[in-house]
Amino acid sequence: MTGDLRIGIDIGGTFTDFTVLADDGGLVLWKEDSTPDEPGRAVRQGLAAVAERLGTDVGGLLGRTSLLVHGTTIATNIL
């Protein structure tokens, strides 16, 4: 995967989903178990796992990221 990255994160009740798209069309999908007591923990763990998969650390991953979008379906799922 080369070029800038765009990362989408969705915190759900069961999984926190990550979609990483590179300028060259490369795509990484990752599912991390959600952590309802502290949703940010699943985000940190997932970013670390994606970074490792790409052969870098979180700082390197975020340094290449031109767009990071976050959403949650937790409230929707409750309804």
Side-chain angles (χ1 to χ4, degrees):
M1 294 179 73
T2 60
D4 286 344
L5 303 175
R6 288 171 279 169
I7 300 175
I9 304 170
D10 173 50
I11 299 175
T14 304
F15 295 105
T16 298
D17 297 303
F18 296 79
T19 302
V20 181
L21 180 64
D23 282 345
D24 68 359
L27 179 68
V28 172
L29 303 174
W30 185 264
K31 280 191 175 294
E32 189 72 30
D33 289 337
S34 288
T35 51
D37 61 320
E38 185 189 340
R41 186 170 68 231
V43 172
R44 292 188 302 273
Q45 291 170 338
L47 287 173
V50 169
E52 184 177 339
R53 185 168 177 186
L54 295 176
T56 189
D57 59 15
V58 173
L61 174 71
L62 295 178
R64 291 181 53 198
T65 300
S66 61
L67 177 68
L68 191 143
V69 179
H70 167 268
T72 181
T73 57
I74 293 173
T76 305
N77 292 345
I78 291 171
L79 294 174

